[in-house]
Amino acid sequence: MAMDLDAVKVGFPQAVPMVSTLSLEFGDLDLQHAQMSMPDQKAYHNHVGGPHAGAMFTLAESASGALVLANFGDRLEDATPLAVEATIRYLKLAMGPVTATARMMRSGEEILAELDSGGRPEFLVEIDLATADGTVTGQMTIVWTLKPNKRSN
């Protein structure tokens, strides 16, 4: 069972204040894909007039986090989702609004089966960053884990 997707869209900016700080907005969200966009905001530009690398990193990480929450938010009593490692490549200069599209690289069912069998699953989420015309300007890969919560007796 996964989270209610509308609840993720409403609750995510409240749970992750940086989403509101950067004025990130949801696009599509399902259990395999999450899309978030960042409007062009001069306050977050870099020295060449495009979105700052840190803002683009946050956009991509946020899209992946929303996807992880959509898949595993109903299991927060059992495990805490944590980003373990992130790699980002800036491929082209981004100008204007940017959209991040995150994709699960394993099924949620497979990941939960590993958790339920006593493991600490790690899984990849891949993210493309693109401008309004669809030009991919960056790519990010995040390794996530579901860290089992300790039970008190």
PDB file of all heavy atoms in Angstrom, residues 1-12 29 31 66 69-74:
ATOM      1  N   MET A   1       0.839  -1.182   0.000  1.00  0.00           N
ATOM      2  CA  MET A   1       0.000   0.000   0.000  1.00  0.00           C
ATOM      3  C   MET A   1       0.880   1.241   0.000  1.00  0.00           C
ATOM      4  O   MET A   1       1.874   1.285   0.691  1.00  0.00           O
ATOM      5  CB  MET A   1      -0.893  -0.046   1.241  1.00  0.00           C
ATOM      6  CG  MET A   1      -1.957   0.981   1.252  1.00  0.00           C
ATOM      7  SD  MET A   1      -3.244   0.407   0.155  1.00  0.00           S
ATOM      8  CE  MET A   1      -4.460   1.619   0.401  1.00  0.00           C
ATOM      9  N   ALA A   2       0.543   2.218  -0.758  1.00  0.00           N
ATOM     10  CA  ALA A   2       1.321   3.454  -0.864  1.00  0.00           C
ATOM     11  C   ALA A   2       0.527   4.612  -0.273  1.00  0.00           C
ATOM     12  O   ALA A   2      -0.643   4.471   0.086  1.00  0.00           O
ATOM     13  CB  ALA A   2       1.656   3.721  -2.321  1.00  0.00           C
ATOM     14  N   MET A   3       1.170   5.739  -0.189  1.00  0.00           N
ATOM     15  CA  MET A   3       0.528   6.954   0.315  1.00  0.00           C
ATOM     16  C   MET A   3      -0.503   7.453  -0.695  1.00  0.00           C
ATOM     17  O   MET A   3      -0.372   7.228  -1.900  1.00  0.00           O
ATOM     18  CB  MET A   3       1.564   8.065   0.502  1.00  0.00           C
ATOM     19  CG  MET A   3       2.510   7.887   1.649  1.00  0.00           C
ATOM     20  SD  MET A   3       1.789   8.291   3.239  1.00  0.00           S
ATOM     21  CE  MET A   3       1.514  10.040   3.100  1.00  0.00           C
ATOM     22  N   ASP A   4      -1.471   8.205  -0.191  1.00  0.00           N
ATOM     23  CA  ASP A   4      -2.393   8.924  -1.049  1.00  0.00           C
ATOM     24  C   ASP A   4      -1.579  10.011  -1.758  1.00  0.00           C
ATOM     25  O   ASP A   4      -0.940  10.839  -1.104  1.00  0.00           O
ATOM     26  CB  ASP A   4      -3.517   9.528  -0.201  1.00  0.00           C
ATOM     27  CG  ASP A   4      -4.426  10.409  -1.015  1.00  0.00           C
ATOM     28  OD1 ASP A   4      -4.121  11.619  -1.118  1.00  0.00           O
ATOM     29  OD2 ASP A   4      -5.420   9.910  -1.545  1.00  0.00           O
ATOM     30  N   LEU A   5      -1.566  10.008  -3.069  1.00  0.00           N
ATOM     31  CA  LEU A   5      -0.708  10.902  -3.834  1.00  0.00           C
ATOM     32  C   LEU A   5      -1.077  12.367  -3.658  1.00  0.00           C
ATOM     33  O   LEU A   5      -0.193  13.236  -3.638  1.00  0.00           O
ATOM     34  CB  LEU A   5      -0.703  10.500  -5.305  1.00  0.00           C
ATOM     35  CG  LEU A   5      -0.191   9.077  -5.577  1.00  0.00           C
ATOM     36  CD1 LEU A   5      -0.262   8.755  -7.056  1.00  0.00           C
ATOM     37  CD2 LEU A   5       1.216   8.890  -5.045  1.00  0.00           C
ATOM     38  N   ASP A   6      -2.360  12.667  -3.509  1.00  0.00           N
ATOM     39  CA  ASP A   6      -2.752  14.050  -3.251  1.00  0.00           C
ATOM     40  C   ASP A   6      -2.260  14.507  -1.878  1.00  0.00           C
ATOM     41  O   ASP A   6      -1.858  15.666  -1.713  1.00  0.00           O
ATOM     42  CB  ASP A   6      -4.277  14.214  -3.351  1.00  0.00           C
ATOM     43  CG  ASP A   6      -4.770  14.113  -4.789  1.00  0.00           C
ATOM     44  OD1 ASP A   6      -3.998  14.484  -5.712  1.00  0.00           O
ATOM     45  OD2 ASP A   6      -5.911  13.664  -5.002  1.00  0.00           O
ATOM     46  N   ALA A   7      -2.250  13.593  -0.908  1.00  0.00           N
ATOM     47  CA  ALA A   7      -1.739  13.933   0.424  1.00  0.00           C
ATOM     48  C   ALA A   7      -0.237  14.224   0.371  1.00  0.00           C
ATOM     49  O   ALA A   7       0.256  15.109   1.081  1.00  0.00           O
ATOM     50  CB  ALA A   7      -2.028  12.800   1.407  1.00  0.00           C
ATOM     51  N   VAL A   8       0.491  13.504  -0.466  1.00  0.00           N
ATOM     52  CA  VAL A   8       1.922  13.771  -0.635  1.00  0.00           C
ATOM     53  C   VAL A   8       2.112  15.174  -1.195  1.00  0.00           C
ATOM     54  O   VAL A   8       2.930  15.961  -0.691  1.00  0.00           O
ATOM     55  CB  VAL A   8       2.589  12.719  -1.546  1.00  0.00           C
ATOM     56  CG1 VAL A   8       4.029  13.119  -1.870  1.00  0.00           C
ATOM     57  CG2 VAL A   8       2.551  11.349  -0.894  1.00  0.00           C
ATOM     58  N   LYS A   9       1.359  15.513  -2.231  1.00  0.00           N
ATOM     59  CA  LYS A   9       1.489  16.839  -2.848  1.00  0.00           C
ATOM     60  C   LYS A   9       1.177  17.960  -1.861  1.00  0.00           C
ATOM     61  O   LYS A   9       1.837  18.996  -1.874  1.00  0.00           O
ATOM     62  CB  LYS A   9       0.573  16.951  -4.070  1.00  0.00           C
ATOM     63  CG  LYS A   9       1.051  16.165  -5.267  1.00  0.00           C
ATOM     64  CD  LYS A   9       0.123  16.378  -6.448  1.00  0.00           C
ATOM     65  CE  LYS A   9       0.637  15.720  -7.701  1.00  0.00           C
ATOM     66  NZ  LYS A   9      -0.216  16.014  -8.872  1.00  0.00           N
ATOM     67  N   VAL A  10       0.197  17.760  -1.010  1.00  0.00           N
ATOM     68  CA  VAL A  10      -0.180  18.793  -0.036  1.00  0.00           C
ATOM     69  C   VAL A  10       0.810  18.832   1.124  1.00  0.00           C
ATOM     70  O   VAL A  10       1.239  19.913   1.556  1.00  0.00           O
ATOM     71  CB  VAL A  10      -1.620  18.542   0.484  1.00  0.00           C
ATOM     72  CG1 VAL A  10      -1.947  19.447   1.658  1.00  0.00           C
ATOM     73  CG2 VAL A  10      -2.626  18.747  -0.638  1.00  0.00           C
ATOM     74  N   GLY A  11       1.183  17.686   1.645  1.00  0.00           N
ATOM     75  CA  GLY A  11       1.997  17.629   2.852  1.00  0.00           C
ATOM     76  C   GLY A  11       3.487  17.817   2.652  1.00  0.00           C
ATOM     77  O   GLY A  11       4.185  18.253   3.565  1.00  0.00           O
ATOM     78  N   PHE A  12       3.990  17.502   1.457  1.00  0.00           N
ATOM     79  CA  PHE A  12       5.427  17.537   1.234  1.00  0.00           C
ATOM     80  C   PHE A  12       6.033  18.932   1.461  1.00  0.00           C
ATOM     81  O   PHE A  12       7.052  19.058   2.148  1.00  0.00           O
ATOM     82  CB  PHE A  12       5.759  17.001  -0.161  1.00  0.00           C
ATOM     83  CG  PHE A  12       7.202  16.654  -0.359  1.00  0.00           C
ATOM     84  CD1 PHE A  12       7.781  15.580   0.301  1.00  0.00           C
ATOM     85  CD2 PHE A  12       7.997  17.405  -1.211  1.00  0.00           C
ATOM     86  CE1 PHE A  12       9.112  15.252   0.126  1.00  0.00           C
ATOM     87  CE2 PHE A  12       9.330  17.084  -1.399  1.00  0.00           C
ATOM     88  CZ  PHE A  12       9.895  16.015  -0.735  1.00  0.00           C
ATOM     89  N   LEU A  29       2.677  12.925 -10.472  1.00  0.00           N
ATOM     90  CA  LEU A  29       3.162  12.091  -9.379  1.00  0.00           C
ATOM     91  C   LEU A  29       2.418  10.767  -9.410  1.00  0.00           C
ATOM     92  O   LEU A  29       1.189  10.734  -9.369  1.00  0.00           O
ATOM     93  CB  LEU A  29       2.955  12.767  -8.019  1.00  0.00           C
ATOM     94  CG  LEU A  29       3.361  11.965  -6.778  1.00  0.00           C
ATOM     95  CD1 LEU A  29       4.858  11.679  -6.774  1.00  0.00           C
ATOM     96  CD2 LEU A  29       2.945  12.702  -5.499  1.00  0.00           C
ATOM     97  N   LEU A  31       3.580   6.230  -8.633  1.00  0.00           N
ATOM     98  CA  LEU A  31       4.536   5.422  -7.866  1.00  0.00           C
ATOM     99  C   LEU A  31       5.844   5.154  -8.609  1.00  0.00           C
ATOM    100  O   LEU A  31       6.801   4.662  -8.013  1.00  0.00           O
ATOM    101  CB  LEU A  31       3.892   4.110  -7.426  1.00  0.00           C
ATOM    102  CG  LEU A  31       2.711   4.279  -6.473  1.00  0.00           C
ATOM    103  CD1 LEU A  31       2.160   2.925  -6.078  1.00  0.00           C
ATOM    104  CD2 LEU A  31       3.095   5.097  -5.264  1.00  0.00           C
ATOM    105  N   ALA A  66       9.913  13.152  -2.883  1.00  0.00           N
ATOM    106  CA  ALA A  66       8.458  13.027  -3.021  1.00  0.00           C
ATOM    107  C   ALA A  66       8.085  11.644  -3.544  1.00  0.00           C
ATOM    108  O   ALA A  66       7.115  11.029  -3.090  1.00  0.00           O
ATOM    109  CB  ALA A  66       7.929  14.115  -3.950  1.00  0.00           C
ATOM    110  N   LEU A  69       8.523   9.198  -0.709  1.00  0.00           N
ATOM    111  CA  LEU A  69       7.408   9.334   0.227  1.00  0.00           C
ATOM    112  C   LEU A  69       6.126   8.722  -0.345  1.00  0.00           C
ATOM    113  O   LEU A  69       5.373   8.058   0.377  1.00  0.00           O
ATOM    114  CB  LEU A  69       7.186  10.803   0.584  1.00  0.00           C
ATOM    115  CG  LEU A  69       6.110  11.075   1.621  1.00  0.00           C
ATOM    116  CD1 LEU A  69       6.458  10.419   2.959  1.00  0.00           C
ATOM    117  CD2 LEU A  69       5.906  12.570   1.795  1.00  0.00           C
ATOM    118  N   ALA A  70       5.882   8.926  -1.626  1.00  0.00           N
ATOM    119  CA  ALA A  70       4.689   8.339  -2.249  1.00  0.00           C
ATOM    120  C   ALA A  70       4.696   6.822  -2.125  1.00  0.00           C
ATOM    121  O   ALA A  70       3.659   6.205  -1.866  1.00  0.00           O
ATOM    122  CB  ALA A  70       4.611   8.752  -3.718  1.00  0.00           C
ATOM    123  N   ASN A  71       5.869   6.220  -2.281  1.00  0.00           N
ATOM    124  CA  ASN A  71       5.980   4.761  -2.227  1.00  0.00           C
ATOM    125  C   ASN A  71       5.994   4.207  -0.810  1.00  0.00           C
ATOM    126  O   ASN A  71       5.475   3.113  -0.574  1.00  0.00           O
ATOM    127  CB  ASN A  71       7.244   4.305  -2.963  1.00  0.00           C
ATOM    128  CG  ASN A  71       7.036   4.181  -4.439  1.00  0.00           C
ATOM    129  OD1 ASN A  71       6.565   3.163  -4.927  1.00  0.00           O
ATOM    130  ND2 ASN A  71       7.356   5.241  -5.169  1.00  0.00           N
ATOM    131  N   PHE A  72       6.620   4.920   0.137  1.00  0.00           N
ATOM    132  CA  PHE A  72       6.888   4.325   1.445  1.00  0.00           C
ATOM    133  C   PHE A  72       6.380   5.150   2.630  1.00  0.00           C
ATOM    134  O   PHE A  72       6.623   4.776   3.774  1.00  0.00           O
ATOM    135  CB  PHE A  72       8.394   4.072   1.609  1.00  0.00           C
ATOM    136  CG  PHE A  72       8.984   3.335   0.448  1.00  0.00           C
ATOM    137  CD1 PHE A  72       9.920   3.932  -0.372  1.00  0.00           C
ATOM    138  CD2 PHE A  72       8.576   2.040   0.153  1.00  0.00           C
ATOM    139  CE1 PHE A  72      10.455   3.259  -1.466  1.00  0.00           C
ATOM    140  CE2 PHE A  72       9.099   1.355  -0.933  1.00  0.00           C
ATOM    141  CZ  PHE A  72      10.037   1.961  -1.747  1.00  0.00           C
ATOM    142  N   GLY A  73       5.682   6.227   2.370  1.00  0.00           N
ATOM    143  CA  GLY A  73       5.203   7.089   3.446  1.00  0.00           C
ATOM    144  C   GLY A  73       4.252   6.411   4.407  1.00  0.00           C
ATOM    145  O   GLY A  73       4.158   6.794   5.569  1.00  0.00           O
ATOM    146  N   ASP A  74       3.569   5.382   3.948  1.00  0.00           N
ATOM    147  CA  ASP A  74       2.666   4.647   4.832  1.00  0.00           C
ATOM    148  C   ASP A  74       3.416   3.657   5.721  1.00  0.00           C
ATOM    149  O   ASP A  74       2.823   2.991   6.563  1.00  0.00           O
ATOM    150  CB  ASP A  74       1.593   3.922   4.025  1.00  0.00           C
ATOM    151  CG  ASP A  74       2.150   2.858   3.087  1.00  0.00           C
ATOM    152  OD1 ASP A  74       3.321   2.986   2.673  1.00  0.00           O
ATOM    153  OD2 ASP A  74       1.420   1.910   2.772  1.00  0.00           O
TER     154      ASP A  74
END
